[in-house]
């Protein structure tokens, strides 16, 4: 029924960039308004030419609901693999990919994997991210216990330290010691990436402000330490991969001025000590759980390390809370606050960069030592300092609204009657 959608084109661009062979599957042919020709025409309009429609890309119409065409699709996958010469090596340690993971109270954490290469055997140690499993229970797709699994086999491995992330790669080690060394190096790598967030905060502030200045034709003082972009590091745990994607999507919609939300790690399952240790790599990192619990050991470690953990089961509550946290982290910056405006009535004398003038305060109050902006027809032409103020030939510290006064202003800009001086102060906000 549908034409080519943006996600189809995204996939095609990724495939084309990687120069991978591929098959087009035209699904839902059981629908009343389904039209394979319409789908092929839409593909051609986007320069994806299938067999019989100006190209050589294989395609298979099928229905996941009725099963029609599914066997043809499987046969086409096998044929394409044979033509391309895809082969696996059964003699090497297994490399797998996680396609599903869950936890139950009886068996603990289990994961469904596909063996990509090599052979997985009982007794091997699997590692995916920071999750590991000494393979003692290995099952095929029917639930039958098996002793080993070769390439392309779907299998279930029971007994993980924590839930591995869906889509993550699994690597095989012969000993637990080798696996632990790999996990430690992975933990250090992730912690190092988390620490880089602080450096990125300083660098991105300079780059972003400089780009803003260039785009707007303005000058921005990127050396001002108050002109920063803060980065708030976040670790997210969810109950399913779909939940994580939904949470990440909602977080992407949070926009707080000069605060960048940076997701440094995601995972499925309860919040564990490993998550807290990762958060410990950068002060201020938040650990968020959605539809998950927090291990007691993780909670105790978080208290000792000063790491904040929050869990939610309603997504808008999560986004509301995180928006508040982001606003609390807005970096302070120098802001000009106007304190008074004086109109120049007469210029009495000018000696190098010091000028004696007379004027009337039109708004607010002006003070000795105030910094002033010199305005001519509402345009700023320069800046200066008030060095002296006089009323009735007496020196004063300030002059209020509505009063006339004489003053000495230090500035290299030549002022004339009719100009205005706007006094201001720099405030950190």
């Amino acid at each position: 029924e549908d034409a080519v959608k943006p996600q189809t084109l995204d996939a095609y661009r990724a495939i084309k960039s990687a120069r991978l062979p591929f098959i087009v599957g035209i699904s839902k042919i059981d629908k009343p308004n389904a039209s394979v020709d319409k789908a092929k025409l839409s593909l051609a309009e986007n320069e994806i030419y299938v067999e019989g429609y100006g190209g050589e890309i294989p395609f298979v119409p099928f229905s996941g609901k009725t099963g029609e065409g599914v066997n043809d699709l499987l046969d086409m996958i096998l044929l394409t693999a044979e033509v391309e010469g895809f082969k696996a090596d059964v003699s090497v340690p297994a490399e797998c990919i996680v396609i599903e993971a869950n936890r139950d109270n009886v068996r603990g954490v289990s994961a469904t994997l596909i063996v990509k290469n090599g052979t997985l055997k009982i007794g091997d140690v699997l590692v995916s991210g920071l999750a590991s499993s000494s393979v003692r229970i290995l099952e095929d797709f029917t639930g039958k216990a098996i002793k080993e699994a070769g390439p392309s086999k779907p299998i279930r491995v029971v007994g993980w330290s924590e839930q591995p992330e869906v889509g993550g790669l699994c690597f095989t080690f012969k000993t637990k010691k080798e696996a632990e060394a790999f996990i430690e190096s992975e933990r250090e790598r992730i912690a190092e990436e988390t620490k880089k967030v602080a450096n990125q905060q300083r660098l991105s502030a300079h780059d972003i402000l400089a780009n803003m200045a260039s785009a707007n034709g303005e000058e921005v003082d990127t050396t001002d330490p108050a002109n920063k972009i803060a980065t708030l590091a976040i670790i997210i745990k969810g109950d399913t991969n779909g939940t994580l994607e939904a949470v990440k999507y909602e977080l992407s919609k949070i926009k707080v001025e000069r605060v960048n939300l940076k997701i440094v790690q995601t995972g499925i399952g309860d919040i564990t000590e490993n998550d807290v240790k990762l958060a410990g790599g950068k002060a201020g990192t938040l650990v968020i759980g959605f539809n998950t619990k927090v291990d007691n050991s993780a909670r105790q470690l978080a208290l000792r390390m000063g790491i904040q953990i929050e869990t939610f089961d309603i997504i808008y509550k999560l986004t509301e809370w995180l928006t508040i946290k982001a606003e609390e982290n807005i970096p302070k910056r120098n802001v000009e606050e106007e304190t008074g405006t004086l109109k120049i009535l007469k210029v009495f004398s000018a000696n190098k960069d010091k000028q004696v003038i007379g004027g009337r305060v039109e708004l607010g109050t002006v003070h000795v030592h105030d910094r002033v902006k010199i305005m001519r027809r509402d345009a700023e032409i320069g800046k200066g300092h008030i060095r002296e103020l006089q009323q009735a030939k007496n020196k004063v510290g300030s002059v209020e609204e509505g009063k006339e006064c004489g003053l000495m202003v230090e500035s290299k800009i030549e002022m004339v009657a009719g100009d205005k001086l706007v006094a201001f102060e720099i405030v950190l906000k």
Side-chain angles (χ1 to χ4, degrees):
E1 294 177 313
D2 295 325
V4 171
K5 291 190 173 181
Q7 56 264 38
T8 307
L9 296 178
D10 288 341
Y12 176 62
R13 282 190 286 268
I15 291 167
K16 189 176 180 180
S17 175
R19 298 183 179 180
L20 295 173
F22 65 99
I23 301 163
V24 173
I26 300 177
S27 62
K28 300 182 181 179
I29 59 171
D30 57 282
K31 304 271 282 188
N33 297 322
S35 171
V36 174
D37 285 337
K38 176 184 175 182
K40 290 192 290 187
L41 177 61
S42 180
L43 287 164
E45 289 172 347
N46 287 278
E47 299 182 353
I48 304 173
Y49 303 105
V50 299
E51 291 175 340
Y53 232 82
E56 298 179 352
I57 300 169
F59 75 95
V60 180
F62 70 95
S63 166
K65 184 175 181 179
T66 67
E68 181 184 355
V70 171
N71 286 335
D72 294 334
L73 178 60
L74 296 174
D75 289 341
M76 182 58 71
I77 291 171
L78 293 173
L79 177 61
T80 303
E82 184 176 345
V83 170
E84 294 292 332
F86 293 148
K87 295 185 183 298
D89 184 352
V90 297
S91 66
V92 299
E95 181 181 324
C96 312
I97 188 166
V98 182
I99 59 173
E100 187 180 65
N102 68 315
R103 178 195 297 267
D104 65 54
N105 295 329
V106 178
R107 307 185 84 191
V109 179
S110 60
T112 302
L113 318 173
I114 294 289
V115 180
K116 292 183 65 180
N117 195 41
T119 301
L120 182 66
K121 300 177 182 178
I122 292 288
D124 287 343
V125 183
L126 276 174
V127 174
S128 180
L130 301 179
S132 64
S133 173
S134 297
V135 183
R136 295 187 179 90
I137 301 177
L138 185 61
E139 301 171 345
D140 66 10
F141 70 95
T142 67
K144 178 183 175 182
I146 55 177
K147 293 184 177 180
E148 62 178 40
S152 81
K153 298 295 183 184
I155 52 172
R156 179 172 290 274
V157 176
V158 181
W160 290 79
S161 61
E162 59 182 90
Q163 282 186 251
E165 186 174 353
V166 172
L169 287 174
C170 294
F171 302 98
T172 305
F173 299 88
K174 290 301 179 184
T175 67
K176 190 172 182 180
K177 187 176 181 180
E178 292 175 337
E180 288 174 346
F182 179 85
I183 291 173
E184 187 59 32
S185 66
E186 185 70 3
R187 182 179 288 114
E188 290 174 359
R189 180 189 67 79
I190 296 171
E192 186 63 30
E193 288 183 359
T194 306
K195 289 178 182 178
K196 286 180 181 178
V197 170
N199 293 330
Q200 183 184 17
Q201 173 180 326
R202 292 192 293 272
L203 293 173
S204 62
H206 185 281
D207 293 341
I208 290 171
L209 290 167
N211 288 340
M212 286 169 55
S214 176
N216 298 327
E218 302 172 351
E219 290 186 5
V220 178
D221 181 12
T222 57
T223 62
D224 184 347
N227 285 331
K228 289 183 180 179
I229 306 296
T231 300
L232 190 59
I234 304 167
I235 293 172
I236 306 174
K237 298 296 287 287
D239 57 339
T240 66
N241 195 51
T243 296
L244 283 177
E245 292 303 317
V247 170
K248 287 192 288 185
Y249 175 72
E250 290 301 317
L251 263 55
S252 71
K253 296 192 289 187
I254 297 176
K255 305 297 180 186
V256 176
E257 184 183 5
R258 295 184 293 122
V259 177
N260 174 39
L261 300 182
K262 175 77 172 179
I263 299 174
V264 296
Q265 179 76 2
T266 62
I268 297 172
D270 292 344
I271 295 170
T272 66
E273 281 189 73
N274 284 334
D275 302 312
V276 178
K277 288 176 181 176
L278 283 174
K282 171 155 186 330
T285 299
L286 303 176
V287 181
I288 298 174
F290 193 82
N291 288 338
T292 61
K293 297 178 181 178
V294 184
D295 290 350
N296 287 332
S297 57
R299 196 178 295 280
Q300 292 170 7
L301 181 61
L303 286 173
R304 292 199 300 271
M305 298 181 69
I307 301 298
Q308 187 169 5
I309 299 176
E310 292 290 334
T311 59
F312 302 87
D313 55 12
I314 301 175
I315 201 160
Y316 79 84
K317 292 288 187 183
L318 187 160
T319 55
E320 284 180 352
W321 177 82
L322 191 56
T323 300
I324 292 171
K325 296 301 293 185
E327 290 172 347
E328 290 174 356
N329 281 271
I330 295 175
K332 295 185 181 298
R333 62 179 175 180
N334 289 333
V335 176
E336 288 185 359
E337 283 197 351
E338 297 179 358
T339 58
T341 302
L342 176 142
K343 182 177 182 180
I344 298 175
L345 302 177
K346 188 174 182 180
V347 178
F348 295 108
S349 66
N351 182 13
K352 293 185 179 179
D353 58 352
K354 293 182 176 64
Q355 299 173 61
V356 178
I357 61 177
R360 182 176 57 249
V361 179
E362 295 187 327
L363 186 67
T365 304
V366 296
H367 305 80
V368 174
H369 305 308
D370 273 352
R371 294 179 64 186
V372 294
K373 294 183 286 186
I374 303 167
M375 311 295 292
R376 183 169 295 164
R377 293 188 292 276
D378 297 325
E380 182 181 332
I381 60 173
K383 286 184 169 68
H385 281 84
I386 297 177
R387 292 307 185 193
E388 287 186 19
L389 278 173
Q390 288 189 2
Q391 279 187 303
K393 297 184 179 180
N394 296 318
K395 290 184 179 181
V396 294
S398 63
V399 179
E400 297 177 348
E401 184 175 325
K403 303 289 186 178
E404 293 188 1
C405 61
L407 59 164
M408 178 186 289
V409 179
E410 183 179 328
S411 176
K412 294 181 180 180
I413 303 299
E414 185 177 345
M415 292 171 280
V416 299
D419 289 348
K420 290 186 178 182
L421 301 183
V422 178
F424 67 93
E425 59 184 4
I426 302 297
V427 180
L428 193 63
K429 283 190 172 182

